[in-house]
Amino acid sequence: MGNKRYRWWPVALLIVLAVFGLRRLACESGDSHEATPTTAADRERAGGAALRASSRAALDDEGPDEDGAVADGLTLAGRVIYPDGRAAGGAAVRLLSRPSGAPHASMTRRIARTDANGAFALARQAQGDYLLEAETEDAVSPTTPVRLVAGSQPVTLMVFPSAALAIHVRSAVDHKPIPDATVKLGIGSGLFGASDAYMLERTDAAGVARFKGVARIDNHPVYAVADGFAGTFDNIRANEHLLSDWDVTIDLQPGGEVSGRVIDERGVPVPGAKVGWEPGQGERDGAYTFVTPLADGGHYIAAVTDATGAFHKTVPPGLGCLVAVHPSHLTAQACGVRTAIGQPRTGVQIVMKSGAKISGIVVTADGKPAPRAEVIVTEPSWEHIPRLSDSYRSRTTTDAEGRFSFDGVDRMPLAVTAWTDDASSDLVELDMRGTADKQGVRIVLANTGVLTGTVTEEDAGPAPFAIVSYFIAPDISEIKFVKTEAESRGLALPKSIGATLCDADGKFRVAGLPPGVYTLRAQRPGATSVPPQYSAVWKEKVALGSNVTMVLPGLGTITGRVVDGDGRPVSTYVVSFAMFEPAMQNAAMPPGRPVESADGALKIDGVPANKYIVAVTGPGIVEWRTSRPIEVRGGSVTDLGTITVTTGTTITGRVLSRAGEPVRNADITMATADKPDVYQHASSDDEGSFTLPVVKKGTVMRVRASTESTTSDWVAVAPGATTVDIVLSDPTRGTVRGVLVDPEHPVIDRVIVLTLPGAGAPGEGLKPEATTTALDGGRFTLDNVPAGAYVLWAHRAQAKPGDEWVSRPITVAGAKDTSIVIDMTQEPTP
Amino acid sequence: MTRLLVALALVTACSKSSDPKPAPAPAPPPPPPVSTSGSATDPTLVKFCTQCYFKVMDCFKDAQFWQIFSTMYFANTNLAVDDTEREHWIGVMKEDMLKLYNEHGFEQNCQASLEHTKAPSEKSVKAVTEAANASCAAFASAFGYMVFNEGAFHQPK
């Protein structure tokens, strides 16, 4: 049983989605409000997303009164206001997540509207922890955690300016718009935990689904599906959309239909199982364990079996496996399923095996039963990630006597842990190998660490509703020799990482923390003019019991004027900001803010005080970049003066296979003769076409294209040329086998990256060509690497910003294993 | 570890013969003669060395052990190899270990090895011992590092 087996998928998810705020969208069967499905998309939606958010029009469509209600439940009441104190009447207040043991409710029951005074009430809710979000047509609140107990005070949600989002859904084949596609937009911040709520809209005749009240500081997962098309899951990143109008395009590939049943070993149907599609040959038996192995936890992409165990999905054509996940059974798969467009595949059967049972009690530090504690089954080397917190296959809430039980547990070394809002337990390790029923497990909520503080503005005034996130920082000197870094740091404990929201006075409190020192991060609850993370302030090595003050960077203004070489104003351009770091001087800039200005004037307010690299680009303009860090001060204007940009050469081209076919999604690497170690990148579109960053006229440069399966030689581009075709060759490929040696620190899970030689570091000027993580003993393998010269990077165990990596040059031989040992003992401590 | 040196020499020769394209690998040091004559050796290190042998036998069927151990060898010889060459190297090593095991020759070879090759550092002994208690993969990394990178039981004194 390799640990990697149950660690690969969230890593892949995080890399693929580059998620900062991925939220979870839970699914269950039996949405009583759904019309009888008549199309493939309908059927998938009906099965896969019963806990759906309704469209705005459906907000008024209250579901059955008993749906999700608790007979002796409590009323979750509160008020929604604007920053100036005005009541936000007519706002929608959504329950983003509810206690795991609470009765499920359809999304309509999970939405309340505020009255003219901004007040709302959600009646008959279970006691426990909730996440809320309020939205109006043009404003949205940050994710707001609430602990609902008898006598709870009403909660206040403050709404800040939001974005309007238009999602264009097209056919990937002909780019024609797809009307009536179903689009689900995830809401809520992953910093606080998983959210299973989403907004749902259908595309109009022009193939556009429109959403309002979208949080500008969060990433948003989005899923689109249409009749005859396989559903596509993507992530909308807040830092790529710096204005209030967001525009996103999703291309859907035609799919093949597949249907079947999920049954247990006795042939009994398993209703409520999530069924996902994994292309390829599948995993070995027992590879899937205590987490849901679907990239999104199954909220979007999974179909959910009905009462007869039946499911139906539209999936990409090709060979793959159907994977079924259910809390009371071991995860199962049916592989060798080949799907084709227009040829429905029916009768697929997935057999789920039974697992072991665990039961016990959660008690407080003084031995009293702890009712309504959350309990999960995890594994000591697992690293808890809040946004994936509902991916634990076994999660429940204790009853009034503190009791809990799980069924369908994997027979392997596991651990259980529990928490409430003010206490948490350590891991209780359980070796379930050869055990069918483990009873009498006792979990003690012994961890009661508290952190309190205040977040203020630069002028010492409170920062109401600022977001404070935290994570445990290990005391390196105390770390014993253990198998994994996660294990050594206790990262499997859910309370080791999380977030909370300040109150109206900027005060915060988090409790129930395990022993250790913590790193805190405070951030504005509303968007600024730059990516959300730029407005954050950090505090490190905070001891439990501390009462800290965190001062947010003030907001300043940047001005200037953009002209061309003849002094004429440039009216359309894009301004990008990057936090200043030496490596960023040669790295690609993040997405910028479009500016339209008849006289070329540049004025951007709301820029958090910091040191930046500022760049100006535009059609036909060679990127202009500040040569030194630009310091922005709160309440001040930083004038960049006259920015004279140069008109350059735009080079376009195509990536072709050796047979002359266009190659889509190829990565094109460009290096100019004057900066041969600095790489810029572009991607080929569906026609294999690409446009390179504008270069100075007469620049000598070279380009190279690569895909996952092949690459090209470097192609020289003559000065003055405006087009270039790159033909992918069939180079020999090799394998890198290595061992990371670092006796002083755990090596498992350390990141290994292969880049081309050049200036910068992985992700900061150098694009990773291949990435992996070290396994037991420090071994790692990078397969299918085009032969050539590279730099191999290994992440340090104790990394300081700017010195996270140790690098080694390596020449990969074709059709061979190239071996390397990275000896960290020879590296000076950063 | 004298036998290890024999195995390494054999494998290097095999690598050259099966694929003449790679640059010749640096020749490993000539194997010192096996001797049990009574020169003084640190009994603690002999015991440690013998325990390493037995740990290798414990890990005999562990693919991760051999992958790591062979990677560390090839990394230190700058040899690029294909799967066949790697498996060949591992096969020779296994054969040699098995032979030594059947002959009950671990301790004798450890004594001889300590007379002629570098002794492990205290730090390495500690690291290898800890790793041996962790997993075959961890042992392979620590043991391979001690042998191939530091030259203990491998490079002449």
Side-chain angles (χ1 to χ4, degrees):
Chain A
M1 174 60 60
N3 287 337
K4 75 184 182 75
R5 191 48 68 195
Y6 36 87
R7 225 192 322 275
W8 65 268
W9 67 267
V11 173
L13 172 67
L14 294 176
I15 291 171
V16 170
L17 299 181
V19 180
F20 250 87
L22 174 64
R23 286 148 304 271
R24 321 299 292 168
L25 303 172
C27 310
E28 67 168 11
S29 61
D31 183 351
S32 58
H33 312 297
E34 195 73 58
T36 303
T38 55
T39 66
D42 282 339
R43 285 193 295 271
E44 183 169 334
R45 188 181 70 252
L51 270 188
R52 66 185 174 86
S54 61
S55 64
R56 186 164 300 279
L59 286 179
D60 301 324
D61 173 28
E62 280 292 315
D65 208 31
E66 73 279 9
D67 182 14
V70 178
D72 58 349
L74 306 168
T75 296
L76 204 174
R79 190 161 179 259
V80 181
I81 58 173
Y82 289 101
D84 61 7
R86 282 181 298 127
V93 180
R94 300 176 190 266
L95 297 179
L96 302 182
S97 74
R98 321 177 75 229
S100 66
H104 289 294
S106 68
M107 190 56 71
T108 45
R109 285 281 310 165
R110 294 172 55 176
I111 299 176
R113 268 199 192 281
T114 58
D115 62 19
N117 295 319
F120 69 90
L122 289 148
R124 291 199 285 162
Q125 299 294 327
Q127 179 174 320
D129 293 319
Y130 291 78
L131 295 176
L132 300 184
E133 182 177 294
E135 95 224 3
T136 68
E137 289 281 316
D138 58 2
V140 62
S141 77
T143 295
T144 304
V146 180
R147 174 77 170 175
L148 180 62
V149 294
S152 289
Q153 293 297 307
V155 61
T156 300
L157 289 90
M158 183 175 283
V159 291
F160 298 88
S162 62
L165 169 63
I167 296 179
H168 304 255
V169 181
R170 308 184 305 182
S171 163
V173 177
D174 54 15
H175 289 178
K176 288 183 178 174
I178 301 176
D180 206 32
T182 300
V183 183
K184 304 170 188 172
L185 182 76
I187 52 180
S189 168
L191 292 171
F192 292 83
S195 161
D196 60 357
Y198 52 86
M199 295 191 261
L200 186 151
E201 297 289 351
R202 297 290 188 95
T203 56
D204 58 19
V208 183
R210 298 184 187 281
F211 298 87
K212 290 184 177 178
V214 177
R216 291 178 59 189
I217 59 171
D218 295 330
N219 294 351
H220 295 271
V222 61
Y223 179 76
V225 65
D227 203 23
F229 291 88
T232 294
F233 183 68
D234 203 353
N235 188 43
I236 301 173
R237 298 169 183 83
N239 63 5
E240 295 178 2
H241 302 274
L242 301 181
L243 301 179
S244 56
D245 289 314
W246 296 13
D247 209 69
V248 171
T249 298
I250 294 178
D251 289 337
L252 299 185
Q253 296 281 356
E257 294 184 33
V258 59
S259 60
R261 289 177 77 217
V262 179
I263 57 175
D264 68 14
E265 292 164 296
R266 297 168 297 156
V268 177
V270 178
K274 295 176 182 175
V275 181
W277 173 258
E278 293 292 333
Q281 302 287 341
E283 297 291 329
R284 61 176 172 78
D285 281 349
Y288 297 126
T289 55
F290 64 94
V291 289
T292 299
L294 305 175
D296 68 336
H299 302 319
Y300 290 108
I301 63 177
V304 177
T305 55
D306 64 15
T308 67
F311 67 88
H312 177 279
K313 275 189 73 64
T314 305
V315 303
L319 184 69
C321 300
L322 286 156
V323 181
V325 186
H326 189 274
S328 300
H329 297 80
L330 303 183
T331 298
Q333 61 181 348
C335 290
V337 179
R338 190 171 290 282
T339 59
I341 297 166
Q343 298 174 11
R345 174 74 192 268
T346 60
V348 177
Q349 193 161 281
I350 309 174
V351 180
M352 304 194 81
K353 295 179 181 174
S354 59
K357 296 179 180 178
I358 298 174
S359 59
I361 186 171
V362 179
V363 298
T364 57
D366 56 4
K368 294 177 181 171
R372 286 148 195 115
E374 292 290 300
V375 191
I376 57 169
V377 175
T378 183
E379 198 264 341
S381 64
W382 180 254
E383 186 171 337
H384 177 78
I385 302 171
R387 64 180 70 92
L388 303 180
S389 56
D390 64 354
S391 286
Y392 296 100
R393 207 161 52 73
S394 300
R395 175 171 174 166
T396 191
T397 308
T398 56
D399 64 15
E401 283 75 45
R403 294 176 304 215
F404 69 91
S405 63
F406 295 114
D407 198 356
V409 176
D410 299 282
R411 291 185 173 90
M412 57 181 280
L414 290 169
V416 289
T417 184
W419 72 95
T420 63
D421 65 326
D422 57 3
S424 66
S425 79
D426 286 330
L427 295 179
V428 178
E429 296 194 41
L430 303 171
D431 191 346
M432 298 303 293
R433 289 174 295 191
T435 302
D437 191 357
K438 186 82 174 177
Q439 300 178 9
V441 176
R442 184 179 173 89
I443 305 176
V444 182
L445 300 174
N447 297 328
T448 54
V450 175
L451 289 171
T452 58
T454 307
V455 181
T456 73
E457 294 288 355
E458 214 173 35
D459 62 3
F465 301 98
I467 299 165
V468 177
S469 52
Y470 67 91
F471 59 87
I472 196 165
D475 183 348
I476 300 292
S477 64
E478 291 296 316
I479 288 180
K480 305 272 191 311
F481 186 83
V482 288
K483 289 178 185 171
T484 70
E485 184 178 359
E487 192 174 344
S488 69
R489 296 171 60 180
L491 299 185
L493 297 175
K495 281 276 188 174
S496 67
I497 182 170
T500 190
L501 202 65
C502 291
D503 63 16
D505 297 321
K507 296 190 180 303
F508 69 89
R509 180 180 187 275
V510 284
L513 303 177
V517 293
Y518 285 79
T519 299
L520 301 180
R521 174 184 184 264
Q523 179 191 328
R524 294 181 185 282
T528 64
S529 295
V530 295
Q533 62 269 30
Y534 293 6
S535 74
V537 61
W538 295 78
K539 193 171 278 288
E540 296 178 336
K541 297 180 180 173
V542 180
L544 289 178
S546 300
N547 183 17
V548 300
T549 299
M550 303 179 75
V551 182
L552 293 173
L555 298 177
T557 299
I558 278 188
T559 60
R561 185 164 178 264
V562 182
V563 299
D564 64 17
D566 298 325
R568 290 175 301 199
V570 176
S571 57
T572 302
Y573 53 91
V574 174
V575 182
S576 305
F577 292 81
M579 298 283 269
F580 177 79
E581 286 177 37
M584 278 304 296
Q585 288 174 310
N586 289 320
M589 293 292 287
R593 296 173 58 87
V595 175
E596 291 196 8
S597 164
D599 60 356
L602 165 65
K603 183 173 187 290
I604 298 177
D605 296 315
V607 181
N610 222 311
K611 290 181 179 177
Y612 295 97
I613 292 174
V614 183
V616 175
T617 58
I621 297 174
V622 180
E623 185 192 83
W624 175 93
R625 195 181 284 208
T626 50
S627 57
R628 57 183 171 79
I630 300 299
E631 183 161 11
V632 175
R633 296 174 190 275
S636 300
V637 176
T638 301
D639 187 7
L640 298 178
T642 300
I643 298 167
T644 303
V645 295
T646 309
T647 304
T649 301
T650 301
I651 297 174
T652 60
R654 286 198 310 162
V655 180
L656 303 168
S657 67
R658 286 179 74 85
E661 299 290 327
V663 177
R664 63 196 292 260
N665 290 335
D667 175 65
I668 297 95
T669 305
M670 175 186 100
T672 57
D674 57 336
K675 292 183 178 177
D677 289 340
V678 178
Y679 299 114
Q680 297 187 71
H681 294 267
S683 297
S684 63
D685 62 18
D686 288 345
E687 281 74 47
S689 301
F690 62 84
T691 301
L692 295 173
V694 181
V695 295
K696 291 177 188 170
K697 289 174 180 171
T699 297
V700 176
M701 55 184 285
R702 57 186 183 138
V703 293
R704 188 185 92 143
S706 62
T707 66
E708 285 187 1
S709 58
T710 187
T711 186
S712 77
D713 293 329
W714 285 99
V715 177
V717 182
T722 57
T723 61
V724 59
D725 280 352
I726 307 175
V727 179
L728 293 169
S729 55
D730 296 321
T732 55
R733 290 174 167 268
T735 296
V736 176
R737 290 190 192 277
V739 181
L740 179 64
V741 177
D742 193 358
E744 301 297 319
H745 306 102
V747 290
I748 290 184
D749 287 345
R750 295 269 279 279
V751 177
I752 310 289
V753 177
L754 192 75
T755 71
L756 292 170
E764 296 174 353
L766 294 177
K767 175 180 162 291
E769 302 292 324
T771 302
T772 189
T773 52
L775 304 173
D776 192 12
R779 73 187 196 280
F780 60 87
T781 305
L782 297 160
D783 286 317
N784 206 28
V785 178
Y790 296 90
V791 175
L792 193 65
W793 303 78
H795 204 273
R796 291 181 187 275
Q798 300 176 36
K800 289 189 175 176
D803 197 11
E804 293 94 344
W805 300 96
V806 169
S807 64
R808 294 283 184 278
I810 184 171
T811 300
V812 178
K816 294 277 188 183
D817 290 356
T818 302
S819 303
I820 188 167
V821 172
I822 302 179
D823 179 6
M824 306 294 267
T825 64
Q826 303 301 313
E827 294 295 321
T829 303
Chain B
M1 289 296 147
T2 302
R3 286 298 184 92
L4 278 176
L5 292 172
V6 175
L8 298 180
L10 281 172
V11 169
T12 306
C14 292
S15 299
K16 287 176 188 171
S17 62
S18 60
D19 186 351
K21 283 178 284 184
V34 176
S35 164
T36 55
S37 62
S39 56
T41 51
D42 183 343
T44 312
L45 288 180
V46 172
K47 185 181 176 190
F48 166 71
C49 168
T50 307
Q51 285 172 339
C52 286
Y53 269 122
F54 280 108
K55 184 63 188 178
V56 172
M57 295 309 294
D58 281 348
C59 299
F60 202 76
K61 293 183 179 177
D62 188 307
Q64 295 171 14
F65 172 85
W66 291 107
Q67 189 204 316
I68 293 173
F69 197 59
S70 61
T71 295
M72 300 190 88
Y73 168 73
F74 289 117
N76 277 279
T77 56
N78 290 319
L79 272 179
V81 293
D82 59 24
D83 283 348
T84 307
E85 291 161 331
R86 182 184 291 271
E87 290 305 316
H88 191 179
W89 186 91
I90 293 171
V92 172
M93 293 293 291
K94 281 185 170 179
E95 192 177 309
D96 204 67
M97 284 298 300
L98 208 53
K99 200 172 174 185
L100 214 51
Y101 177 76
N102 290 332
E103 292 170 355
H104 305 285
F106 288 168
E107 188 173 340
Q108 194 179 40
N109 273 271
C110 283
Q111 281 178 342
S113 182
L114 282 163
E115 287 175 20
H116 299 284
T117 58
K118 285 183 181 174
S121 65
E122 196 175 325
K123 192 176 173 185
S124 283
V125 171
K126 183 170 179 286
V128 171
T129 305
E130 281 185 355
N133 292 325
S135 67
C136 285
F139 173 64
S141 175
F143 182 56
Y145 183 81
M146 179 181 72
V147 172
F148 299 123
N149 287 60
E150 293 187 348
F153 305 119
H154 184 188
Q155 292 174 355
K157 283 182 176 172

